[in-house]
Amino acid sequence: MKALVYHGPGQRRWEDKPRPSITKPTDAVVRITHTTICGTDLHILKGDVPAVEDGRILGHEGVGVVEEVGDGVSHIQVGDEVLISCITSCGRCDYCKRGLYAHCRDGGWILGHLIDGTQAEYVRIPHADNSLHRLPKDMDRAAAVMLSDILPTGHEIGALNGEVGLGDTVAIVGAGPIGLAALMTSRFYSPARIIMIDPDENRLAMAKQLGATDTIARDPLDAIDELTGGEGVDVAMEAVGIPETFDICQRIVRPGGHIANIGVHGKSVEFRLQDLWIKNVTVRTGLVNTNTTPVLMRIVEAGGVEPAGLVTHRFKLDDIEKAYDVFSRASKEQAIKMLLTAE
């Protein structure tokens, strides 16, 4: 089969790899029909994730058809069209029983990280009963791919960790795919105002289409001060993963507010505890657990949110290297999410 393979920092290649097979009774092999590229994949290619070894197939998102199942799989059958969760969960360990699938003792984020991933014609999925979701026949497959990672991440690590509530003022720093997913899912909780902060005017325009009440392209501290009458925001979400954007969140949150860090940080930040402690601010971080994926699937199926709108570019799976080139120039190419289709 063909797959996108990591060969060290800055090196990737669409090449032949052995087709995966069942190695444990709880495995399934899925033929990929749709996948995408995550910002985390770009971090891997930069060498920011040293656990990813030379020869690893990248990718942790996708939709496909089950081709083979192990003897221990009972809920998923050959022929099922399924959503692949970015998080693998056994469903039995102490962390899984607490809903912390991200820390499953035999799973977590392993696809495209510690085991071969979804940017390939076939992928092996461990713990298939808990890590695959059967798809409704009429669900838009572009929308379904967004349910693999970014929609549950925006919901769980953004809206839920930020405790977005009725009438709140929410600021999201970073209007990339994750920030936009946080915007979409924050609307479930009826905040009065959602302010999107990003220097990219194209992304801010999309944020407006998705329901942002206000957008800020520069000087966010002064702008937030003006928009909130000097009060600050109830919820500040960091959706970039650099010290500067986390610092903005610390400076704009109001007393009693919440900071939800969604971004993947590769460097230390300055934590302004000397300013935050007296403001009764809650700071939460996290890796998505995907335990809200089933309810998000029902919301998407009912038309309550339309994540397919995040797809700006479509490619054949064979053109994945070109898709990576476009995604790595996201601002210039006005790219949000890539949809790669094998059929």
Side-chain angles (χ1 to χ4, degrees), residues 139 296-305:
M139 181 178 286
L296 291 172
M297 287 181 67
R298 293 196 294 273
I299 294 171
V300 171
E301 186 180 12
V305 65

Side-chain angles (χ1 to χ4, degrees), residues 159-210:
L160 294 186
N161 275 4
E163 298 186 34
V164 176
L166 181 69
D168 278 351
T169 295
V170 177
I172 302 172
V173 185
I178 291 294
L180 294 173
L183 160 64
M184 298 171 81
T185 54
S186 290
R187 295 184 66 197
F188 298 161
Y189 304 97
S190 300
R193 197 171 212 172
I194 303 179
I195 305 165
M196 188 65 75
I197 301 169
D198 196 287
D200 189 325
E201 294 284 2
N202 176 65
R203 291 187 168 188
L204 292 181
M206 178 169 281
K208 272 286 193 180
Q209 294 175 16
L210 295 174

Side-chain angles (χ1 to χ4, degrees), residues 36 56 72 106 120 134 136-137 200-201 216 257 309 312 318 337:
T36 186
R56 177 70 63 230
D106 192 36
R134 193 177 291 110
K137 290 185 178 180
D200 189 325
E201 294 284 2
I216 299 172
T312 55
D318 285 343
K337 286 296 282 185

Side-chain angles (χ1 to χ4, degrees), residues 108-227:
W109 173 42
I110 57 175
L111 287 173
H113 178 207
L114 304 179
I115 68 172
D116 287 338
T118 59
Q119 291 171 6
E121 293 178 326
Y122 294 87
V123 61
R124 179 182 69 89
I125 303 296
H127 303 298
D129 278 335
N130 292 300
S131 307
L132 297 174
H133 302 270
R134 193 177 291 110
L135 285 175
K137 290 185 178 180
D138 58 351
M139 181 178 286
D140 184 337
R141 278 16 185 184
V145 173
M146 302 303 111
L147 284 162
S148 279
D149 184 353
I150 65 167
L151 209 63
T153 296
H155 181 229
E156 295 171 21
I157 312 304
L160 294 186
N161 275 4
E163 298 186 34
V164 176
L166 181 69
D168 278 351
T169 295
V170 177
I172 302 172
V173 185
I178 291 294
L180 294 173
L183 160 64
M184 298 171 81
T185 54
S186 290
R187 295 184 66 197
F188 298 161
Y189 304 97
S190 300
R193 197 171 212 172
I194 303 179
I195 305 165
M196 188 65 75
I197 301 169
D198 196 287
D200 189 325
E201 294 284 2
N202 176 65
R203 291 187 168 188
L204 292 181
M206 178 169 281
K208 272 286 193 180
Q209 294 175 16
L210 295 174
T213 56
D214 305 271
T215 59
I216 299 172
R218 55 183 60 86
D219 302 322
L221 301 182
D222 290 341
I224 290 291
D225 196 56
E226 182 177 345
L227 286 172

